[in-house]
Amino acid sequence: MNLKAYTSLSLLFLINSVWTRTVRQVYDELDPEHWSHYTSECPRECFCPPNFPNALYCDNKGLKEIPAIPARIWYVYLQNNLIETVSEKPFANATHLRWINLNKNKITNNGIETGVLSKLKRLLYLFLEDNELEEVPAPLPVGLEQLRLARNKISKIPEGVFSNLENLTMLDLHQNSLLDSALQSDTFQGLSNLMQLNIAKNSLKKMPLSIPANTLQLFLDNNSIEVIPENYFSAIPKVTFLRLNYNKLSDDGIPSSGFNVSSILDLQLSHNQLTKIPPINAHLEHLHLDHNRIKSINGTQICPVSITIEEDHGSYGNIPRLRYLRLDGNEIQPPIPLDIMICFRLLQAVVI
């Protein structure tokens, strides 16, 4: 299970660079006699590298409109411009588009022509970060694998906007204006293959409802969450990386078995209001509890299994797997209690 999770996450983290590098390699040996053809098709505002003829670079050009995109283009880079509208006309011939980067423009929902995005049938990656969107744009291409909408003004997620996006693996909504009311029980319905969900830096006070069951990474940092509902993680049994830094979690807001979840390998609870270490699972490998209100730690109390000093130190089959523990920014004074080391025998680093 852990191997599968790490493999999937590695693919998710590396997919952008691997995809681009592979395509570049295909065209490294392009015949120079074709260069003039590619140059003549290239919009004058943009750059079309002859050794990468499927890419169109129009970034940092002060553009106010999207230029006509040639039919051969798979990747179009339009970030860091002054674009306000996304209309159908520039994409009329661009039927093979896989990747559009429109980050850091001035695009509003009203500026996106109805249906223009959903007509891009082969689009896999859509980047609309740092724009002026107030809701998730709809409808979206059904084949999307990544949707990045960070740092907009999104406060609304239209009903059913994700219902047909079964190929989506990453959804990034961090640093928007989402309230609890924007996340209904069916908001994420249809995202059956989602691996990473980022809702950090919003205005949530509660854990979001109905997170897709296959989610591996859940990022909820910088909200105002106070309570983890009982058995919350039973609905997302594959969650491996959980970030809840900079929230308002207290001891009373965490049920006794709240984080005792075997799938979680990396748990981040920094900058909350905890006065003690919550119960954890023996499979946990990284635990971040810095900048809370913890005054002392007791290895016997927090140890997820029953281990005594007389037990065989050479047998690691059933002992806790914790390797990294961060406790700085609390009120704990060194040295580290011996019972912590007895319990967590695989510890490689403790920050205190």
Side-chain angles (χ1 to χ4, degrees):
M1 177 339 186
N2 292 349
L3 180 59
K4 279 187 175 180
Y6 277 124
T7 301
S8 299
L9 290 169
S10 297
L11 288 172
L12 185 62
F13 290 143
L14 297 176
I15 192 166
N16 294 354
S17 59
V18 171
W19 183 287
T20 303
R21 184 170 63 250
T22 302
V23 175
R24 285 184 184 274
Q25 290 169 349
V26 171
Y27 293 103
D28 275 346
E29 303 301 324
L30 183 69
D31 190 339
E33 72 181 37
H34 296 298
W35 291 4
S36 60
H37 168 67
Y38 292 124
T39 303
S40 65
E41 278 194 334
C42 188
R44 61 181 178 81
E45 310 96 326
C46 306
F47 172 59
C48 300
N51 64 334
F52 194 18
N54 288 94
L56 180 65
Y57 289 88
C58 309
D59 49 310
N60 297 287
K61 301 293 184 182
L63 300 180
K64 294 185 178 180
E65 296 180 348
I66 299 174
I69 301 171
R72 71 173 190 276
I73 297 301
W74 287 19
Y75 308 90
V76 59
Y77 298 87
L78 290 156
Q79 67 270 28
N80 292 299
N81 282 295
L82 303 171
I83 297 168
E84 297 181 357
T85 60
V86 180
S87 61
E88 188 173 338
K89 186 177 179 181
F91 300 101
N93 296 319
T95 57
H96 296 283
L97 275 180
R98 305 292 201 274
W99 176 306
I100 300 177
N101 189 333
L102 279 161
N103 292 345
K104 295 187 178 180
N105 278 284
K106 297 182 178 297
I107 300 168
T108 63
N109 288 94
N110 289 335
I112 300 177
E113 187 175 329
T114 303
V116 62
L117 297 175
S118 61
K119 291 178 181 178
L120 302 172
K121 302 295 185 182
R122 301 187 183 186
L123 196 66
L124 302 178
Y125 304 95
L126 177 58
F127 300 168
L128 280 165
E129 299 179 344
D130 296 283
N131 277 281
E132 298 179 11
L133 299 173
E134 295 183 353
E135 60 182 73
V136 175
L140 292 163
V142 295
L144 271 187
E145 294 182 5
Q146 291 190 17
L147 178 59
R148 303 191 185 215
L149 298 169
R151 295 178 298 277
N152 276 276
K153 303 173 183 177
I154 296 173
S155 61
K156 181 180 178 182
I157 300 178
E159 184 177 356
V161 67
F162 303 127
S163 60
N164 295 318
L165 303 186
E166 61 180 25
N167 293 326
L168 200 71
T169 59
M170 174 191 283
L171 176 58
D172 191 344
L173 288 162
H174 89 269
Q175 201 165 334
N176 276 285
S177 303
L178 292 170
L179 299 170
D180 296 318
S181 57
L183 304 180
Q184 300 299 314
S185 59
D186 60 351
T187 295
F188 301 112
Q189 185 175 345
L191 300 178
S192 56
N193 288 298
L194 195 70
M195 295 167 58
Q196 183 185 106
L197 178 59
N198 191 342
I199 326 178
K201 294 188 177 182
N202 277 279
S203 300
L204 304 180
K205 294 183 178 180
K206 300 178 181 179
M207 294 292 284
L209 300 171
S210 301
I211 299 297
N214 285 320
T215 302
L216 298 175
Q217 297 180 317
L218 179 58
F219 302 151
L220 292 164
D221 315 71
N222 292 89
N223 280 285
S224 299
I225 297 170
E226 299 180 356
V227 176
I228 307 294
E230 190 81 39
N231 300 319
Y232 180 84
F233 298 104
S234 62
I236 42 175
K238 297 181 181 180
V239 64
T240 305
F241 291 83
L242 178 61
R243 291 198 334 221
L244 279 158
N245 304 318
Y246 291 96
N247 275 282
K248 296 182 178 180
L249 290 170
S250 63
D251 302 328
D252 293 338
I254 301 175
S256 58
S257 59
F259 297 119
N260 189 4
V261 181
S262 62
S263 66
I264 299 177
L265 303 182
D266 191 300
L267 176 59
Q268 300 190 19
L269 296 168
S270 305
H271 294 271
N272 277 279
Q273 300 171 10
L274 302 174
T275 64
K276 60 184 180 181
I277 297 178
I280 59 174
N281 191 272
H283 290 86
L284 187 68
E285 296 183 3
H286 295 83
L287 178 58
H288 298 247
L289 286 164
D290 55 287
H291 298 90
N292 277 274
R293 301 174 181 175
I294 301 170
K295 294 183 178 180
S296 62
I297 51 175
N298 185 312
T300 303
Q301 292 178 355
I302 68 173
C303 193
V305 298
S306 177
I307 296 180
T308 63
I309 195 168
E310 290 83 11
E311 287 187 81
D312 180 12
H313 283 56
S315 175
Y316 297 126
N318 297 317
I319 68 172
R321 300 178 187 176
L322 193 68
R323 288 170 167 79
Y324 179 88
L325 176 59
R326 184 171 176 183
L327 291 164
D328 56 303
N330 285 283
E331 301 176 36
I332 302 168
Q333 299 296 321
I336 300 166
L338 177 61
D339 53 5
I340 291 288
M341 308 311 295
I342 293 172
C343 174
F344 302 107
R345 300 179 201 176
L346 301 182
L347 265 177
Q348 297 175 354
V350 180
V351 184
I352 194 170

